[in-house]
Amino acid sequence: MSSALDVERLRKEYTMHGLRRSDLASDPFVQFNAWFEEAIRTGGPHEPNAMSLATATPDGVPSVRVVLLKGFGPEGFLFFTNYDSRKGRHLAANPRAALNFHWSWLERQVAIEGDVSKVSREKSEEYFRRRPLGSRYGALASQQSRPIEGRTELERRLAEVQARYGQDPPTPENWGGYRVRPYRFEFWQGRENRLHDRFLYLPALGGGGWQIQRLSP
Ligand SMILES: Cc1cc2nc3c(=O)[nH]c(=O)nc-3n(C[C@H](O)[C@H](O)[C@H](O)COP(=O)(O)O)c2cc1C
């Protein structure tokens, strides 16, 4: 394939940091928190809470898109979306997902895999009410992932929602949060000559705690 862009020559050496076993917290949520804090502090115009979310159909056909992290803790990594969207349909049939954070300005990625569940309706409503009014209208106006005739149709739906609900639009029935409860974390730090540092956390055998392994780059 010919292209004016010399894609093959795009190449960067990763030299900013190293990651040693002794740097790691024994709890991956604590480790994530430390890296996330640093990503927020140094992220400038980037969105440090943007994460790729991979889902799959029950027979294993994958898809991936970016969503925003809205909270995390031992109960899971939280995001909000439309339950009837393509990802929502995947998760209804196959409630597992993978997340990926790429904090390029720190030469880091974190990859997470876990079981997915919906958050309570109450929690979704609580969060919905805290969203800017425009985003609330947007969630009501859009049948996410469905084909639409044109932009005009979307604007017509928006005007309808605004007229109908005024200043207090309700949480759509098909909108809410999901939690990804991790059973695998990987922390990746770019290093020179592609000899990166990678550490895998898996639940420790016999319950409680996590075991940590270094992986080849
Ligand atoms: C930076 C960024 C943040 C996004 N955040 C969300 C989000 O929090 N929730 C959401 O449903 N879609 C979000 N989107 C849109 C999704 O990437 C996607 O287009 C949409 O959810 C439909 O995906 P689906 O058809 O695979 O279900 C975001 C996109 C970008 C680029």
Side-chain angles (χ1 to χ4, degrees):
M1 198 172 82
S2 76
S3 160
L5 300 174
D6 194 349
V7 179
E8 192 191 298
R9 283 187 55 181
L10 293 175
R11 176 168 287 275
K12 171 175 155 59
E13 275 296 332
Y14 304 121
T15 56
M16 285 177 76
H17 305 275
L19 184 63
R20 288 165 307 191
R21 173 68 182 79
S22 58
D23 297 329
L24 295 171
S26 56
D27 178 340
F29 293 95
V30 174
Q31 183 61 37
F32 181 86
N33 189 66
W35 272 24
F36 190 43
E37 262 180 23
E38 199 174 336
I40 292 168
R41 189 157 35 80
T42 58
H46 298 282
E47 289 183 283
N49 62 331
M51 56 185 186
S52 298
L53 162 75
T55 58
T57 62
D59 48 345
V61 181
S63 65
V64 64
R65 77 290 288 153
V66 173
V67 295
L68 295 176
L69 180 70
K70 289 292 165 181
F72 68 95
E75 68 292 345
F77 283 67
L78 176 66
F79 66 92
F80 290 88
T81 193
N82 182 307
Y83 289 142
D84 295 329
S85 64
R86 185 166 183 235
K87 73 181 92 51
R89 281 179 270 130
H90 285 179
L91 291 172
N94 179 14
R96 285 184 292 176
L99 304 174
N100 190 287
F101 295 85
H102 179 206
W103 297 314
S104 59
W105 61 99
L106 293 170
E107 303 174 349
R108 285 176 179 164
Q109 72 172 324
V110 180
I112 291 169
E113 295 167 21
D115 293 310
V116 181
S117 55
K118 283 184 181 173
V119 307
S120 69
R121 175 75 183 160
E122 192 187 353
K123 173 113 188 153
S124 293
E125 287 181 353
E126 242 172 64
Y127 174 69
F128 189 77
R129 280 194 290 273
R130 290 199 299 274
R131 301 179 87 208
L133 185 59
S135 310
R136 283 181 276 158
Y137 288 142
L140 280 154
S142 168
Q143 297 178 301
Q144 194 176 58
S145 313
R146 298 238 193 112
I148 186 161
E149 206 50 58
R151 191 85 210 165
T152 321
E153 165 74 3
L154 200 54
E155 278 153 18
R156 188 188 59 71
R157 292 182 62 95
L158 174 65
E160 237 173 57
V161 162
Q162 287 169 327
R164 181 156 173 204
Y165 298 115
Q167 294 303 298
D168 192 22
T171 312
E173 284 302 323
N174 62 356
W175 186 97
Y178 285 106
R179 272 204 190 89
V180 181
R181 199 187 174 100
Y183 47 70
R184 188 186 200 278
F185 282 81
E186 183 192 321
F187 292 85
W188 183 100
Q189 178 70 63
R191 297 294 302 269
E192 256 168 306
N193 302 317
R194 301 298 187 248
L195 295 179
H196 316 299
D197 291 324
R198 300 176 63 193
F199 287 96
L200 171 66
Y201 289 71
L202 291 173
L205 295 173
W210 295 78
Q211 50 166 324
I212 304 177
Q213 271 174 317
R214 184 185 271 272
L215 299 179
S216 305

